[in-house]
Amino acid sequence: MAKAQKKTAQKASKTSKAHALKIPVPARSKLDPGTQAYFAKCDEKIGFVPNVLLSYSFDAKKLRAFSDMYNELMLGESGLTKLEREMIAVAVSSINHCYYCLTAHGAAVRQLSGDPKLGEQMVMNYRVADLTPKMRAALDFAAKLTETPAKIVESDREALRKAGWSDRDIWDISATVGFYNMSNRMAAAIEMNPNDEYHSAFR
């Protein structure tokens, strides 16, 4: 990202309202050194600090817990690719109508797939996308786990195995679904606003 673009992106993120609660986002200088370093890394890698991180920044322990879980689930070692994990995030967020997560993770699907159309399809309804049978099975499981978790039975897990997912993969799929259901509900509860940069990214 060019320096001028980077400065513009950083300014937009710092001036946008992260959420609706009367819990102010601390000034960068007031954050602990670890959080300052984390936010500086965000600036360096993507040009801004996501509002979800700014929303948690008033409590360093909660921010670390959230970011550690996110980084392990979405970036850690797994039988699922980064794109597959992002597609699960979007499918769950679509069911929950989570504005923040659909905007942020829809951009991630566009980036990782190189396919803006796929990003839009995932946001609207993953069932219209041209998916492999294996990925469709994962998203069908994610949808059921989101909508009717008490109705998950062994045949649902077996369908994933038959599609080619291992039991460890099923754990990772389930953990990702669970994380985004939590994140969606927090975003809805506090009216978390997506950063403007996400809207036009990777189109």
Side-chain angles (χ1 to χ4, degrees):
M1 181 180 288
K3 287 185 178 179
Q5 291 176 315
K6 187 173 180 179
K7 287 181 180 178
T8 300
Q10 290 173 5
K11 183 178 179 181
S13 293
K14 290 175 182 177
T15 57
S16 62
K17 186 173 174 58
H19 56 76
L21 297 185
K22 295 177 181 178
I23 301 176
V25 173
R28 187 78 67 96
S29 61
K30 300 293 185 181
L31 300 173
D32 66 89
T35 302
Q36 289 188 41
Y38 184 31
F39 285 4
K41 190 173 182 179
C42 291
D43 286 334
E44 179 184 345
K45 293 187 73 173
I46 63 174
F48 61 95
V49 179
N51 279 346
V52 64
L53 301 182
L54 294 177
S55 296
Y56 276 91
S57 64
F58 75 95
D59 188 321
K61 288 183 179 179
K62 288 182 175 59
L63 173 61
R64 281 195 298 273
F66 177 86
S67 59
D68 285 351
M69 187 69 166
Y70 168 85
N71 288 329
E72 179 58 30
L73 283 175
M74 302 303 286
L75 304 175
E77 185 177 343
S78 174
L80 283 71
T81 67
K82 291 180 182 179
L83 175 58
E84 288 167 344
R85 285 175 270 186
E86 290 290 352
M87 291 171 74
I88 291 169
V90 175
V92 169
S93 300
S94 179
I95 292 167
N96 291 326
H97 304 289
C98 180
Y99 176 46
Y100 184 94
C101 289
L102 285 173
T103 305
H105 296 282
V109 169
R110 295 194 299 271
Q111 177 188 17
L112 293 169
S113 68
D115 185 354
K117 180 180 177 181
L118 176 62
E120 296 303 317
Q121 289 173 326
M122 291 300 303
V123 165
M124 297 295 181
N125 181 359
Y126 75 88
R127 296 171 183 87
V128 304
D130 184 15
L131 304 173
T132 65
K134 183 179 182 182
M135 194 63 213
R136 188 170 295 279
L139 296 180
D140 286 344
F141 181 85
K144 184 172 181 179
L145 185 57
T146 296
E147 295 175 319
T148 54
K151 293 184 179 180
I152 293 290
V153 293
E154 181 59 27
S155 60
D156 296 305
R157 292 182 285 273
E158 189 58 29
L160 289 176
R161 296 184 187 106
K162 288 180 179 178
W165 298 106
S166 70
D167 276 27
R168 174 55 199 270
D169 295 335
I170 294 171
W171 176 279
D172 288 352
I173 291 168
S174 302
T176 304
V177 172
F179 180 82
Y180 281 98
N181 272 292
M182 181 277 288
S183 295
N184 292 169
R185 282 154 178 75
M186 279 300 300
I190 68 172
E191 196 178 320
M192 193 181 292
N193 292 309
N195 303 68
D196 290 341
E197 295 89 344
Y198 286 126
H199 292 287
S200 58
F202 310 108
R203 293 191 183 277

